[in-house]
Amino acid sequence: MWLGGWGETLPYYDNRVVLDSDQKDKWGIPLVKIHYQYHENEETMRKDIQASIQEMLTVTGFTNISTYSRLHPGGSAVHEMGTVRMGRDPKTSVLNGYNQMHEVKNVFVTDGSCMTSSGTANPSLTYMALTARACDYAVSELKKGNI
């Protein structure tokens, strides 16, 4: 039997994606540079998950329990989020409340990257709601000639 657990990575400001000012692809476009690391909270959570699994198996009568922990690199889970933060201030966020870029008005980002984190799995319905709201807003702005 195998049990696994996943936990939320908090939205640390120093975890970010930027354009590399030195390295470019063959067309001269800057490459993406990812700055990401786990912090004390994630390490504590990882240890707690491992201890909780051990406890659950013991209490339910399992014996010969062998636990392990693998610290996968950031980005290896399926619902990680937060690289295109939504917010009111263009100095601290990329998107406004309608998922529209502050700096590029005809670009909308409606996947999980607009959310700084997710407390649970399967946030697809939230993406769908964000997309519907962004589309409604974009159509309204197009009709007004704003984008």
Side-chain angles (χ1 to χ4, degrees):
M1 178 176 180
W2 177 88
L3 292 178
W6 287 261
E8 174 188 19
T9 300
L10 295 178
Y12 302 107
Y13 186 76
D14 56 334
N15 285 347
R16 63 196 186 282
V17 177
V18 298
L19 295 177
D20 192 315
S21 58
D22 299 321
Q23 295 186 12
K24 299 186 183 343
D25 66 14
K26 66 181 182 180
W27 297 280
I29 298 171
L31 296 177
V32 170
K33 184 185 273 188
I34 299 172
H35 300 274
Y36 183 90
Q37 67 180 36
Y38 293 110
H39 291 74
E40 182 181 351
N41 182 73
E42 290 74 34
E43 178 62 24
T44 301
M45 189 171 24
R46 186 170 64 89
K47 289 177 182 176
D48 181 64
I49 290 169
Q50 187 175 4
S52 295
I53 289 171
Q54 171 84 36
E55 179 184 4
M56 285 186 280
L57 292 173
T58 301
V59 167
T60 55
F62 283 84
T63 59
N64 193 23
I65 300 165
S66 177
T67 64
Y68 66 94
S69 179
R70 275 190 254 152
L71 184 59
H72 293 288
S76 59
V78 295
H79 295 298
E80 293 176 314
M81 308 174 177
T83 56
V84 189
R85 184 180 297 245
M86 182 192 297
R88 291 185 177 97
D89 186 352
K91 292 178 184 168
T92 59
S93 60
V94 178
L95 305 174
N96 68 18
Y98 293 101
N99 296 76
Q100 177 186 35
M101 290 186 70
H102 290 295
E103 301 295 326
V104 186
K105 298 300 181 188
N106 66 337
V107 174
F108 291 78
V109 179
T110 62
D111 66 355
S113 59
C114 69
M115 296 180 277
T116 55
S117 68
S118 173
T120 186
N122 303 322
S124 299
L125 291 176
T126 304
Y127 303 158
M128 291 165 56
L130 290 170
T131 301
R133 182 178 66 179
C135 289
D136 183 63
Y137 178 76
V139 168
S140 173
E141 291 298 289
L142 279 167
K143 287 179 180 177
K144 294 176 191 173
N146 292 336
I147 54 175

